[in-house]
Amino acid sequence: MRIPLLRQHSVLPGFGLAMGWTLFCLAVVVLIPLSGLFFKTATMTGEAFWQTISSPRVINAYKISFGIAFAAALINAFFGLIVAWILVRYTFPFKRIVDAAVDLPFALPTAVAGIALATLYAPQGWLGKPLAELGIKVAFTPLGILLALVFVGLPFVVRTVQPILEDLEKDVEEVAASLGASRRQIFCRVLLPQIFPALLTGFAMSFARALGEYGSVIFIAGNLPNVSEIIPLLITIKLEQYDYTGATALAVVMLLASFVLLLLINILQKWSSRQ
Amino acid sequence: MEILVQNINKRFKEFVALDDVSLPIKSGELIALLGPSGSGKTTLLRIIAGLEFADSGTIILNGKDANQQSVKERNVGFVFQHYALFRHMSVFENVAFGLRVRPKETRPSKAIIREKVMNLLQMVHLEMFHDRYPSQLSGGQRQRVALARALAVEPTVLLLDEPFGALDAKVRKELRHWMRKLHDDMNITSIFVTHDQEEAMEVSDRLVVMSNGRIEQVGTPADVYHTPANSFVYDFLGNYNEFAGVKDEDGVVHLTEVDVEKSASTTEKSGWLHRHPEIEKIMAKIAPSKTLDHAESLPAAEIVAPKQLVGQKVTLFARPHEMIVTKTPDANEYIIAKVMHINPAGPLVKIDLERLNGRPLQAEIPKNVLDDLNIKKFDTVFVRPKETKLFE
């Protein structure tokens, strides 16, 4: 029997060996644990569920979690792009070391990062003290959460944008310059549209990471209810009180919301890369 | 626009890309910069465009010193070998780019941009493709878009860096004729870089042959081809055969194929008819009616004598089409060679020969001459250059 190397797929999916194996792995690793979450939540009554997820403290925690994660991802998209740009376009001493250091937030246990940041920015810390004199409080405020989330999310943007920047053709910029475009026009009209899909991916990954972040945040956040309390922490608190269904209820809402947001970003990215 | 290139020097670290290059270009000319890779031709083009800056020397565009002008201010159209199209823009947007990025005061209205772009697309025969993206076009079409885009800003100079280098042979030929026509219609000064001598010969008004950062020769295609300035230019413009010779004390050059440094025994292997000891046997085999006397009817003095071996060693060149191939040698001196391959495709039949000393020779003769000669593979033939060139 002759089998072409790249087979045309049949209209009905899921029957090939490769497809079946992929779905099996996905199910074991992702789908089964997540559906367990839904089943556990389903043991609640509708009213109890609604009460759990709509209490003011929970609502505020959602606002803090999503709001600050979004802000952190935005900051990361901006500075990550700059860091990637500098790593690709410039040569400077110890560039390789700086390049490697970008990955540190990936590798560092996030609790270590949280403790380090908290110590640094505490009112008596090296940076916290001068900032406090200026009237800026970082540790134990939402600003501290933002700082921690920016820290853990930065490498996602840098590492997704960097290869795209490396692949950009020099010719294209030169041609734009010869056609009379200024540096700003070249960046906005020629480079940015090419980088944008990767930048969105980096943004989405950084956002997703920030939503689920726990370790680094709890040390610097201060964890004041309604002010600097994040959803992952609320879930942990519920678990410590043996309120398992309450914890899963929060988790389900978080999961669905994240899923919808990531889906939207994905669609946006597809759309922008087709342009 | 008139372009004056004056004493340009450019180094990339240790590598000397351009070494004191000067070149005046008249308005309306189509100039080809020809040379092997690394000869500095692309660097020169980029310096004229303002994409690169010279270490010393001046570029004068239309009487004005352009050294202080950026690429943006020079008003040149630049076309790259790999098109450098904006992938995320349609063909229309690509061509319109140069007009859209103008400052508000000089930017034409939308309607005028539209009209202009469509006119340009019509000129490059791509008006049907205005809403396609570059990835949906063939190589030749992409290069035409790149040309239209460069022309949209009405440049006074068009600079093309190996514009047809990435295209296949047939499209290359079409496009270069079309480019020549475009150049004549547009009343523009054009400079294009190429390493293809045929392309440079066919299209340009004048060509500039470069090697190792220096200009070897500037001239019309006919000048450069028929009176090459040196062996490099001769070598670069086509295939050739090389013969060793010696100059005797009177300054007369003899095609001897004697290797001066080596002993006289190599002479015997050279296959130069007059010196070959086995000539009688060969003659008897190939042309029984001919005698050695016939072949050696030159005065004895012209035969290489020992005194000439101490003379100056020279190298002579001849193009394949300047070779005479025969089976029956006459009074002239001939080289004995074996036919290794015959390629009858094309207007001239290409014959690969091997001399008795193992060196290859190439000859190109008309088809009817070949038929008359009735040569087959592995036949032994007699070859002689009609004319040779000597560079001193």
Side-chain angles (χ1 to χ4, degrees):
Chain A
M1 195 171 69
R2 294 181 308 153
I3 301 173
L5 180 62
L6 296 171
R7 220 171 345 158
Q8 200 79 52
H9 297 287
S10 83
V11 180
L12 286 174
F15 299 108
L17 185 61
M19 185 74 168
W21 178 243
T22 310
L23 282 181
F24 172 73
C25 286
L26 190 69
V28 169
V29 176
V30 180
L31 294 179
I32 293 175
L34 287 187
S35 57
L37 198 66
F38 281 91
F39 283 126
K40 185 78 186 167
T41 313
T43 58
M44 289 174 103
T45 61
E47 201 184 339
F49 177 74
W50 183 248
Q51 268 190 348
T52 311
I53 65 163
S54 65
S55 77
R57 186 177 169 188
V58 171
I59 296 280
N60 280 327
Y62 276 125
K63 279 184 190 159
I64 291 161
S65 263
F66 281 100
I68 296 179
F70 193 81
L74 273 184
I75 292 171
N76 277 333
F78 183 71
F79 285 105
L81 177 60
I82 293 176
V83 171
W85 181 271
I86 286 166
L87 287 176
V88 171
R89 292 290 171 112
Y90 293 81
T91 48
F92 51 88
F94 307 113
K95 181 174 161 177
R96 280 177 177 276
I97 294 173
V98 174
D99 199 352
V102 168
D103 285 331
L104 275 184
F106 274 150
L108 205 64
T110 52
V112 175
I115 292 167
L117 287 174
T119 320
L120 209 54
Y121 286 95
Q124 295 307 314
W126 284 358
L127 288 171
K129 206 170 179 182
L131 282 174
E133 279 162 16
L134 292 171
I136 303 167
K137 269 189 77 183
V138 179
F140 318 124
T141 66
L143 195 58
I145 303 179
L146 183 71
L147 199 71
L149 293 185
V150 167
F151 178 82
V152 296
L154 188 72
F156 289 95
V157 177
V158 178
R159 291 294 177 240
T160 45
V161 173
Q162 203 174 6
I164 305 295
L165 284 177
E166 276 164 1
D167 281 353
L168 286 179
E169 293 168 78
K170 201 180 76 190
D171 293 3
V172 175
E173 285 166 66
E174 289 181 340
V175 117
S178 81
L179 291 169
S182 65
R183 279 183 183 274
R184 218 190 84 233
Q185 283 170 322
I186 293 173
F187 183 79
C188 295
R189 286 171 176 255
V190 178
L191 298 180
L192 201 57
Q194 295 185 67
I195 306 166
F196 195 66
L199 192 60
L200 259 182
T201 307
F203 173 83
M205 285 167 69
S206 156
F207 177 62
R209 179 79 174 80
L211 270 183
E213 180 55 24
Y214 176 77
S216 63
V217 175
I218 52 161
F219 289 102
I220 199 170
N223 307 324
L224 296 172
N226 300 322
V227 178
S228 58
E229 194 174 52
I230 55 169
I231 285 287
L233 181 70
L234 264 185
I235 293 173
T236 317
I237 290 169
K238 288 209 185 291
L239 286 178
E240 280 167 356
Q241 296 163 347
Y242 303 106
D243 179 8
Y244 292 131
T245 50
T248 56
L250 294 186
V252 161
V253 175
M254 184 109 173
L255 190 71
L256 289 177
S258 320
F259 184 74
V260 170
L261 279 171
L262 290 176
L263 194 69
L264 282 177
I265 293 172
N266 244 324
I267 291 168
L268 187 63
Q269 192 210 347
K270 266 262 168 58
W271 175 80
S272 71
S273 65
R274 203 171 330 133
Q275 282 295 299
Chain B
M1 178 159 74
E2 202 181 46
I3 303 166
L4 285 173
V5 175
Q6 292 175 332
N7 309 97
I8 293 288
N9 281 290
K10 176 76 182 174
R11 282 164 171 271
F12 294 107
K13 287 180 185 156
E14 294 300 293
F15 179 71
V16 180
L18 291 173
D19 183 7
D20 197 28
V21 169
S22 297
L23 176 70
I25 295 168
K26 291 192 281 282
S27 187
E29 267 190 310
L30 202 170
I31 297 281
L33 299 179
L34 180 65
S37 45
S39 61
K41 54 193 192 315
T42 296
T43 308
L44 179 59
L45 193 79
R46 290 172 60 86
I47 287 175
I48 295 173
L51 293 171
E52 209 94 61
F53 290 93
D55 299 337
S56 67
T58 9
I59 300 286
I60 294 175
L61 297 176
N62 230 8
K64 262 189 285 178
D65 184 345
N67 276 18
Q68 302 309 316
Q69 287 180 317
S70 71
V71 55
K72 201 181 145 190
E73 294 155 341
R74 291 194 190 185
N75 195 24
V76 295
F78 204 97
V79 175
F80 286 88
Q81 179 179 6
H82 296 289
Y83 330 125
L85 294 180
F86 307 126
R87 272 177 289 179
H88 57 285
M89 294 183 201
S90 67
V91 167
F92 183 94
E93 290 300 320
N94 263 284
V95 178
F97 184 86
L99 301 170
R100 294 251 160 98
V101 296
R102 283 193 187 166
K104 265 220 175 79
E105 312 86 66
T106 55
R107 193 190 307 155
S109 73
K110 274 195 174 161
I112 292 175
I113 290 179
R114 181 157 189 91
E115 196 194 315
K116 217 174 155 187
V117 171
M118 288 316 277
N119 278 341
L120 280 163
L121 286 177
Q122 208 164 5
M123 195 175 73
V124 299
H125 311 297
L126 285 171
E127 68 271 33
M128 302 289 287
F129 297 99
H130 66 93
D131 54 355
R132 295 261 188 110
Y133 283 88
S135 59
Q136 298 166 303
L137 301 178
S138 71
Q141 289 170 331
R142 286 182 206 184
Q143 197 55 292
R144 270 152 45 206
V145 175
L147 259 168
R149 179 179 63 180
L151 293 172
V153 293
E154 292 173 14
T156 44
V157 185
L158 192 57
L159 303 170
L160 308 106
D161 186 9
E162 307 223 7
F164 314 126
L167 304 171
D168 59 67
K170 194 161 175 292
V171 180
R172 280 175 90 107
K173 278 200 172 146
E174 275 169 29
L175 267 188
R176 70 188 184 218
H177 286 293
W178 178 80
M179 180 183 88
R180 175 74 233 193
K181 205 173 154 289
L182 195 78
H183 169 88
D184 294 337
D185 294 347
M186 298 281 298
N187 190 24
I188 196 170
T189 310
S190 307
I191 306 174
F192 78 106
V193 160
T194 181
H195 57 250
D196 179 344
Q197 1 87 6
E198 195 190 317
E199 190 170 286
M201 293 274 175
E202 230 178 272
V203 180
S204 66
D205 294 323
R206 284 197 302 157
L207 52 91
V208 179
V209 185
M210 297 185 69
S211 86
N212 294 323
R214 276 190 300 273
I215 292 180
E216 298 287 349
Q217 190 174 7
V218 183
T220 63
D223 279 351
V224 175
Y225 190 80
H226 293 295
T227 51
N230 53 40
S231 59
F232 174 83
V233 176
Y234 186 83
D235 174 2
F236 197 71
L237 292 184
N239 293 334
Y240 61 93
N241 295 309
E242 209 181 302
F243 306 97
V246 287
K247 213 179 200 180
D248 66 19
E249 288 150 356
D250 307 324
V252 179
V253 174
H254 297 261
L255 251 180
T256 63
E257 219 30 50
V258 176
D259 204 323
V260 177
E261 280 95 35
K262 287 181 188 158
S263 69
S265 66
T266 53
T267 313
E268 286 159 20
K269 283 194 229 143
S270 74
W272 188 247
L273 185 58
H274 282 167
R275 309 249 338 144
H276 201 276
E278 300 211 342
I279 191 71
E280 261 167 304
K281 274 191 239 162
I282 294 165
M283 291 302 292
K285 222 157 99 190
I286 312 162
S289 63
K290 302 283 170 191
T291 63
L292 184 58
D293 280 329
H294 193 116
E296 222 179 281
S297 57
L298 286 171
E302 295 244 331
I303 302 168
V304 178
K307 72 159 190 175
Q308 288 157 341
L309 290 176
V310 298
Q312 191 193 341
K313 194 185 166 195
V314 293
T315 308
L316 295 133
F317 302 92
R319 299 267 182 227
H321 69 259
E322 293 168 339
M323 302 299 290
I324 293 170
V325 179
T326 179
K327 282 175 113 171
T328 53
D330 53 22
N332 290 300
E333 293 183 326
Y334 282 93
I335 293 166
I336 302 170
K338 202 164 152 194
V339 177
M340 302 309 286
H341 183 72
I342 300 173
N343 173 10
L348 287 175
V349 178
K350 296 184 183 69
I351 305 174
D352 290 338
L353 300 154
E354 195 182 286
R355 298 177 54 171
L356 295 184
N357 62 3
R359 292 248 211 99
L361 277 181
Q362 295 171 314
E364 288 175 7
I365 57 173
K367 180 81 169 71
N368 57 335
V369 173
L370 180 86
D371 291 342
D372 292 347
L373 282 171
N374 189 23
I375 296 173
K376 291 185 304 297
K377 203 171 177 179
F378 303 130
D379 277 359
T380 302
V381 291
F382 298 89
V383 216
R384 177 169 74 87
K386 245 181 286 185
E387 48 188 295
T388 57
K389 285 224 159 57
L390 171 67
F391 299 103
E392 282 172 280

